[in-house]
Amino acid sequence: MSAGAPAAAEGKDTGGVRAALGGLTTRGRSFLAAGVAAMVCAYVLGQGDLLRVGLLLAVLPLVCVAVLYRTRYRVAGSRRLSPSRVPAGAEARVHLRMDNVSRLPTGLLMLQDHVPYVLGPRPRFVLDRVEAGGRREVSYRVRSDLRGRYPLGPLQLRLSDPFGMCELTRSFSAFDTLTVIPRTEALPAVRLAGEAAGYGDGRQRSLALAGDDDVIPRNYRYGDDLRRVHWRSTARYGELMVRREEQPQRARCTVLLDTRRTAYQGAGPDSAFEWAVSGAASALVHMLERGFAVRLLTDTGNSVPGEGADGFAGSTQESADSAGLMMDTLAVVDHSDGTGLSPSYDVLRGGNEGLLVAFFGDLDEEQAALAGRMRQRSGAAVAFVLDSGAWVTSGASAGAVEDRLRLLREAGWTALAVPPGAALSELWQLAGRQRAEASGSGTNGFSGGWS
C-alpha cells in the first residue's frame, strides 16, 4: 500500500498541472507559442536579445497559470437564502459572498450559480479585482409558481488574470435547498357546531381524579388553596401534597387530504389537486392559529407531525415547528397510487379525532360511503369535494357529485362542492353557516362549537 501512495499523489499533481495549463486562453497559448518559436530562432541565429524576448513571451502565461492556480483555492464562497421557505408565487433572495483569503489580489471573477429552470434564469455576475482579505457580495431573486423542494448549487467561480492569459474554473460543493410551500389563504373565524373541545367558548376540561383512590397529587406550591391539600398523600410522602388541578384539553383537528391519482384530472398550479393541497395548508395554518392540536392525514394513512403519543401537534410552543413540518410535507406531496380511502379510515376509526376537515377529489359511491363512516368518530366533519372534470372543462359540477354530497350529508358531514377557481374563505364561511343552521334545527343532534 505504501508503495502505491506516491504514484497516486503524483498522478493527482499531474492532473492538476494539466488542468491549469488547459485553462490557457487563446492569448495565453499564442504568447507561449510565440515565445517558444522566438527561443528556437534565437538559438539557431545566435541572437541573445531575441532569446530574452522569447523567454519573456513564454514565461508570462506560465506565471499567470501558476498564480491563478494558487489563487483558485484561496477564494471562499458561501450562499444564504432569505427566506428558505416561501409560498408558491413569492420571491426569495439568494445572497452570494466571495472572500479572498490570500495575500494577493484576484483578477476578474465571474460567478455562476446553478438553479432549476423553474426558479428563473441562471444568475451570472462579474466581479472586479478583489483585494487581499477583501470580500464581495451579490444577490439575486428566485420565484416559482410550483411548490416543491429545489436545490441551489453548486456555485461556480471562473477566475481570470489581469492579462487575460488564463481562465480557471472552481466549483464549490455546497448546496442549499429552497422549499416552496403551497399558497395559503386567510380564513374567517366562524363557528362550526359539533366541536365540543377547544379554547374559548368550546373549552373542555378533564378532571384529574375520579375518586379519592384515583387522585394524582403533586407538591404544594406557594399560592395553592389549602382546601386542595390531600392529607393522605401528605402523610405518605412526608411533605405537603395537593390534588392536581383539572387540566384543559386542547381541541383536536384532523385535516384529511385525498391524494389519489384516480381522483384528480389535470395538472399545473391551477388544477384541482393543487387547490386541494393549498386548501389543506390554509386549514392547517388557521386551526393552529386558533389553538387546536392539528394533524395532517392523507389517504395513504400517513400522518404529520407523526404518531408519537396521539399523532397530533404538541403544545402551543411547538405550533410553529409543527406548522413548518406539515408545510414541508405539503410542499412535496404528490399523487398516491392508492384507489381507496381505507388506510385513512383505519386511522380515523380509532376515535377522539375532534374536528375533521377533508379535501376530497372524485368519489365513487363506495368511497363516498366509506367517507361517510369516517364521520362517526369525529365531533364535526366538513368536506370540500372537488369535481376534477369540471375543473378541466371549467364547467358546472356533474350530477354524480351532487349524489356524493347527499351521501356525505346524510352521514352527518357538512359537505360542499368546490367549483373551479373557488375561494376557500367563502366556502369556509358557508360551511360555518350550514353547521350553525344544522345545529339550530337539530338535524344532526350536535351542540357546542368553536369560534
Side-chain angles (χ1 to χ4, degrees):
M1 290 296 293
S2 60
E10 182 179 355
K12 182 178 180 180
D13 292 340
T14 302
V17 172
R18 290 177 179 175
L21 292 176
L24 284 172
T25 62
T26 302
R27 180 184 300 177
R29 296 176 186 273
S30 300
F31 267 66
L32 183 60
V36 172
M39 287 187 291
V40 171
C41 293
Y43 177 78
V44 173
L45 301 176
Q47 296 291 327
D49 294 338
L50 184 59
L51 179 61
R52 286 189 288 272
V53 173
L55 285 174
L56 177 62
L57 294 176
V59 168
L60 181 60
L62 297 179
V63 171
C64 292
V65 168
V67 172
L68 205 60
Y69 184 73
R70 179 179 180 275
T71 304
R72 180 171 63 166
Y73 297 101
R74 296 285 184 171
V75 178
S78 62
R79 182 192 301 103
R80 178 173 57 87
L81 291 178
S82 176
S84 59
R85 184 191 291 123
V86 296
E91 291 184 343
R93 184 168 290 274
V94 183
H95 301 269
L96 303 178
R97 171 176 163 179
M98 304 303 301
D99 294 274
N100 183 14
V101 297
S102 69
R103 299 179 181 179
L104 298 175
T106 68
L108 196 65
L109 300 180
M110 287 167 283
L111 296 179
Q112 177 177 277
D113 205 8
H114 288 263
V115 300
Y117 72 94
V118 296
L119 297 182
R122 182 169 297 178
R124 294 181 175 88
F125 303 94
V126 177
L127 303 181
D128 293 333
R129 174 179 177 272
V130 182
E131 64 280 2
R135 70 177 59 168
R136 295 289 186 273
E137 293 186 4
V138 293
S139 64
Y140 63 93
R141 293 177 295 181
V142 290
R143 177 182 178 274
S144 174
D145 292 327
L146 300 175
R147 56 184 176 82
R149 293 173 62 88
Y150 301 101
L152 301 179
L155 178 64
Q156 283 189 343
L157 174 65
R158 179 177 295 179
L159 300 90
S160 177
D161 66 279
F163 301 102
M165 299 289 181
C166 182
E167 287 185 355
L168 294 180
T169 301
R170 178 186 178 186
S171 294
F172 297 89
S173 58
F175 284 83
D176 287 282
T177 302
L178 175 67
T179 303
V180 181
I181 61 177
R183 295 185 181 95
T184 57
E185 187 176 350
L187 302 180
V190 299
R191 178 185 293 272
L192 294 181
E195 180 57 36
Y199 290 97
D201 296 337
R203 177 174 296 179
Q204 181 186 39
R205 291 183 177 270
S206 61
L207 295 178
L209 53 104
D212 204 36
D213 295 334
D214 299 324
V215 68
I216 303 177
R218 61 169 176 80
N219 293 331
Y220 174 83
R221 301 190 188 114
Y222 179 77
D224 284 338
D225 190 347
L226 293 178
R227 290 174 297 182
R228 296 178 49 248
V229 173
H230 192 258
W231 297 109
R232 181 179 298 180
S233 298
T234 299
R236 178 185 301 174
Y237 294 104
E239 56 181 324
L240 205 59
M241 306 292 290
V242 296
R243 293 182 176 89
R244 191 175 66 178
E245 294 177 347
E246 57 185 9
Q247 301 293 331
Q249 290 181 342
R250 298 189 75 202
R252 293 181 171 185
C253 175
T254 297
V255 177
L256 173 60
L257 175 62
D258 182 9
T259 64
R260 295 171 298 138
R261 189 180 304 275
T262 57
Y264 297 95
Q265 302 179 34
D270 297 327
S271 64
F273 179 67
E274 291 301 322
W275 191 98
V277 173
S278 297
S282 301
L284 288 169
V285 172
H286 177 75
M287 301 311 293
L288 283 172
E289 291 175 349
R290 303 294 296 174
F292 279 65
V294 182
R295 174 178 62 177
L296 171 64
L297 181 66
T298 65
D299 59 289
T300 61
N302 297 324
S303 62
V304 180
E307 292 296 344
D310 54 10
F312 289 83
S315 62
T316 304
Q317 290 78 6
E318 299 173 357
S319 295
D321 295 336
S322 301
L325 180 60
M326 288 184 279
M327 285 299 175
D328 288 345
T329 301
L330 290 176
V332 296
V333 69
D334 201 356
H335 292 291
S336 67
D337 295 327
T339 57
L341 301 172
S342 297
S344 57
Y345 172 75
D346 293 337
V347 176
L348 291 172
R349 69 179 179 180
N352 196 21
E353 300 300 325
L355 176 65
L356 176 59
V357 181
F359 294 85
F360 293 120
D362 296 333
L363 295 173
D364 55 26
E365 187 173 357
E366 179 183 357
Q367 299 307 316
L370 184 61
R373 293 197 295 272
M374 295 179 184
R375 159 66 187 83
Q376 301 172 1
R377 298 297 184 178
S378 61
V382 180
F384 300 95
V385 182
L386 293 92
D387 180 7
S388 61
W391 279 72
V392 173
T393 61
S394 299
S397 298
V401 176
E402 296 299 328
D403 294 338
R404 307 300 179 250
L405 294 175
R406 179 180 51 81
L407 289 175
L408 293 176
R409 289 165 183 163
E410 290 176 352
W413 285 81
T414 299
L416 295 91
V418 181
L424 178 60
S425 58
E426 298 178 359
L427 295 176
W428 190 266
Q429 203 162 18
L430 178 59
R433 289 198 298 267
Q434 291 188 5
R435 290 302 300 175
E437 294 172 359
S439 178
S441 62
T443 303
N444 296 318
F446 297 120
S447 61
W450 64 269
S451 57

